[in-house]
Amino acid sequence: GEDVEQSLFLSVREGDSSVINCTYTDSSSTYLYWYKQEPGAGLQLLTYIFSNMDMKQDQRLTVLLNKKDKHLSLRIADTQTGDSAIYFCAEGGSNYQLIWGAGTKLIIKP
Amino acid sequence: DGGITQSPKYLFRKEGQNVTLSCEQNLNHDAMYWYRQDPGQGLRLIYYSQIVNDFQKGDIAEGYSVSREKKESFPLTVTSAQKNPTAFYLCASSARLSTDTQYFGPGTRLTVL
């Protein structure tokens, strides 16, 4: 069945780049999403990429999509303490539902 | 401001009680969703609604019920049949039932005492 996988934790130093990875299984996905969740809050849409794109950049965020390997990544440049959160990858599944990864908790070291 | 509101933020329930979680949106979205979030897990879909007076079961609908009498509102009832209801509940909406971007409310944390 459809599945989205992410590592559960990522630890980076403040000022470094963070790269959060995600793999998915549904090759028919039209959109792939990155959401951010701060403690005790709802999910906030960070960015999304169409399946016919390879890369999308938005200020400090860069999304890379490798359709052949079904691999999606989110790079956060110059990571700040405010970036500390859980990051969810989601793909648009074939039955009009979003399929969610378990989330990657980004930990910022001073 | 357009957005999604959920209330209450925290809810405590005694075993055997039904409780209802509120979700309201003023985005004029047709589709609305309820998810459950447990620590270390992704979001699991409970129910979704494509349009007023229509809703469908998601992956974990047992022990839950919903209604969609108005476009703006999609309340979720957690019944006593739900054996492990302690979780964080998230409501979302999207323009259409599709893979359109979903927008989320702030969530309700339900704890069973």
Side-chain angles (χ1 to χ4, degrees):
Chain A
E2 297 162 339
D3 197 14
V4 175
E5 294 190 356
Q6 301 178 240
S7 299
L8 289 182
F9 298 96
L10 176 66
S11 178
V12 298
R13 292 199 178 279
E14 190 175 357
D16 287 352
S17 292
S18 305
V19 180
I20 303 170
N21 295 302
C22 169
T23 57
Y24 61 96
T25 56
D26 188 349
S27 57
S28 66
S29 295
T30 307
Y31 297 89
L32 294 124
Y33 297 90
W34 284 106
Y35 283 82
K36 176 183 180 182
Q37 184 182 35
E38 296 181 354
L43 274 67
Q44 170 195 354
L45 177 68
L46 276 182
T47 187
Y48 63 90
I49 189 167
F50 294 105
S51 59
N52 62 357
M53 297 170 65
D54 297 323
M55 185 181 86
K56 180 178 180 181
Q57 187 152 5
D58 183 1
Q59 299 183 330
R60 291 191 300 122
L61 304 179
T62 303
V63 178
L64 295 177
L65 176 60
N66 180 330
K67 288 184 287 293
K68 175 175 170 289
D69 295 336
K70 297 190 181 68
H71 183 267
L72 182 73
S73 67
L74 174 69
R75 178 177 180 271
I76 305 172
D78 186 25
T79 307
Q80 303 298 310
T81 55
D83 295 322
S84 180
I86 300 176
Y87 291 82
F88 289 92
C89 166
E91 63 163 333
S94 56
N95 62 351
Y96 303 114
Q97 294 180 20
L98 293 186
I99 310 300
W100 296 86
T104 299
K105 184 170 185 177
L106 180 60
I107 300 163
I108 315 299
K109 296 181 288 187
Chain B
D1 282 298
I4 303 176
T5 57
Q6 291 185 242
S7 62
K9 187 169 177 61
Y10 299 98
L11 186 57
F12 298 91
R13 188 194 96 170
K14 292 182 181 177
E15 285 197 26
Q17 282 184 335
N18 293 354
V19 289
T20 297
L21 284 60
S22 169
C23 177
E24 304 276 332
Q25 54 99 0
N26 62 3
L27 300 167
N28 200 34
H29 284 170
D30 284 329
M32 297 186 74
Y33 312 81
W34 274 105
Y35 291 95
R36 172 180 170 138
Q37 185 180 24
D38 294 283
Q41 295 190 36
L43 278 65
R44 292 186 290 169
L45 184 64
I46 305 173
Y47 268 98
Y48 62 98
S49 169
Q50 181 176 0
I51 201 166
V52 173
N53 292 324
D54 177 75
F55 48 84
Q56 304 294 330
K57 293 181 179 179
D59 299 321
I60 56 163
E62 185 175 350
Y64 300 97
S65 66
V66 294
S67 62
R68 187 89 187 273
E69 296 175 3
K70 297 187 298 183
K71 187 175 186 176
E72 305 80 26
S73 179
F74 191 41
L76 173 74
T77 297
V78 184
T79 74
S80 57
Q82 170 48 238
K83 296 306 177 190
N84 184 22
T86 295
F88 192 50
Y89 290 87
L90 288 159
C91 179
S93 71
S94 63
R96 303 165 299 162
L97 182 71
S98 66
T99 52
D100 279 355
T101 301
Q102 293 184 16
Y103 296 90
F104 284 80
T108 293
R109 184 165 298 281
L110 173 63
T111 303
V112 173
L113 303 174

